[in-house]
Amino acid sequence: DSKFDKKDKIKISLDVKEIYESLLESENTYAVMFEYGHYLANFYYRDRDWIKGLFSKIFPTEPEKHDLLVASLEGHFCNNLYGELFTDLSDVYEMAIKMDSGQYTKRRYFKDIDEGLATHIALAFTYFPTFDLKHPLFKLFWETPNTKRQKEFISFIGRSIISKEKAKDFIAKSKANLDRLKDFWDWAIDNVTDKEALSGFGFWMNTKEDVLDKVWVSEHAYKTLEIG
């Protein structure tokens, strides 16, 4: 970055791009493909058009490169979520949601793929203005049977936001959409029948700081238990 002016839209030199593309073209190891997925945002925000043209190679769909795709997804799901990048990767998230857990390479993972995917979708739902109950990826996520992902979606929101230490201060600073989260519990009661997935709401029952009204939580907990 030090080579470029702050006003420059492109902040990657040509030699770096050449090395990046050359290695990507020939790469066939999980470890390096993990890095391509993990550090994608670093390159995306320095030359968006260039990196978007490489998405199909970073997340390859050819059957013979399936294991490399899984490695890239693993790396990407280990990183923070960025709004604009998330939008540009909508096709990749759609592909990941449709992928059956049984298709994952049998090996040791740095980050569980299902949990990582669920975390990203949960973060998008909590913070991104346009990612609501009607968003295509939200619908696809919940229409695609996968207990592990769906339970993690619910419990992650509970652990990281509602039951978090000093939750009220965190919600105020992070601008988490608490009303949308409440609407989700209403939606889940009407639309989710997987008892194991619904058990994730246990992390929403934080009475220490009363992030959610106690009576409201009690009513929703009762309705959720009735489904079981």
Side-chain angles (χ1 to χ4, degrees), residues 10 12-13 17 53 56 81 85 97 105 108 126 131 133 145 160 162 165 179 181 189 200:
I10 297 176
I12 306 180
S13 58
K17 291 183 181 181
S56 62
L81 186 66
L85 179 56
I97 292 171
T105 314
R108 183 177 179 179
T126 303
F131 197 98
L133 296 169
S160 63
I162 297 172
E165 186 176 351
D179 288 336
L181 299 184
I189 290 172

Side-chain angles (χ1 to χ4, degrees), residues 83-97:
E84 294 162 316
L85 179 56
F86 178 80
T87 299
D88 282 337
L89 284 176
S90 59
D91 290 345
V92 173
Y93 280 94
E94 179 180 342
M95 175 176 57
I97 292 171

Side-chain angles (χ1 to χ4, degrees), residues 2 5 8 114 118 120 145 157 180:
S2 61
D5 189 276
D8 291 339
D114 284 325
H120 272 212
I157 291 174
R180 182 182 291 171

Side-chain angles (χ1 to χ4, degrees), residues 40-220:
L40 181 60
N42 297 66
F43 293 89
Y44 174 84
Y45 285 104
R46 287 168 174 80
D47 192 339
R48 299 187 189 190
D49 290 338
W50 168 69
I51 203 68
K52 284 164 64 175
L54 296 174
F55 281 173
S56 62
K57 293 183 179 180
I58 298 171
F59 302 102
T61 57
E62 298 89 337
E64 66 273 16
K65 294 184 178 181
H66 177 75
D67 292 348
L68 300 180
L69 164 64
V70 172
S72 292
L73 290 172
E74 180 190 9
H76 181 63
F77 294 150
C78 284
N79 206 347
N80 295 326
L81 186 66
Y82 300 91
E84 294 162 316
L85 179 56
F86 178 80
T87 299
D88 282 337
L89 284 176
S90 59
D91 290 345
V92 173
Y93 280 94
E94 179 180 342
M95 175 176 57
I97 292 171
K98 291 179 178 179
M99 190 183 300
D100 187 90
S101 298
Q103 294 179 287
Y104 302 152
T105 314
K106 295 186 182 300
R107 59 175 173 80
R108 183 177 179 179
Y109 285 85
F110 181 81
K111 176 71 175 181
D112 183 275
I113 301 290
D114 284 325
E115 291 180 2
L117 173 59
T119 296
H120 272 212
I121 299 298
L123 287 170
F125 183 74
T126 303
Y127 294 106
F128 297 166
T130 61
F131 197 98
D132 54 18
L133 296 169
K134 298 180 180 180
H135 193 282
L137 284 180
F138 175 88
K139 290 182 178 180
L140 180 63
F141 182 85
W142 285 98
E143 289 170 356
T144 305
N146 192 303
T147 298
K148 186 177 182 180
R149 291 177 191 166
Q150 294 174 352
K151 181 180 179 180
E152 179 62 18
F153 175 100
I154 298 172
S155 64
F156 174 81
I157 291 174
R159 298 191 315 270
S160 63
I161 299 171
I162 297 172
S163 296
K164 186 181 181 72
E165 186 176 351
K166 298 182 179 179
K168 284 187 175 181
D169 290 340
F170 174 79
I171 291 171
K173 292 178 181 178
S174 67
K175 298 181 180 180
N177 193 329
L178 194 58
D179 288 336
R180 182 182 291 171
L181 299 184
K182 292 172 67 177
D183 289 342
F184 169 72
W185 200 343
D186 288 327
W187 178 90
I189 290 172
D190 293 334
N191 293 277
V192 181
T193 58
D194 189 324
K195 294 182 290 185
E196 180 63 23
L198 289 171
S199 68
F201 279 112
F203 290 98
W204 291 49
M205 301 176 193
N206 178 5
T207 58
K208 294 180 180 179
E209 294 195 45
D210 296 332
V211 172
L212 301 174
D213 179 76
K214 290 181 180 179
V215 174
W216 186 90
V217 170
S218 298
E219 292 173 347
H220 282 68

Side-chain angles (χ1 to χ4, degrees), residues 2-19:
S2 61
K3 297 181 180 180
F4 300 90
D5 189 276
K6 292 182 179 180
K7 297 180 181 179
D8 291 339
K9 292 183 178 180
I10 297 176
K11 295 184 178 180
I12 306 180
S13 58
L14 289 176
D15 59 337
V16 172
K17 291 183 181 181
E18 289 174 359
I19 294 171

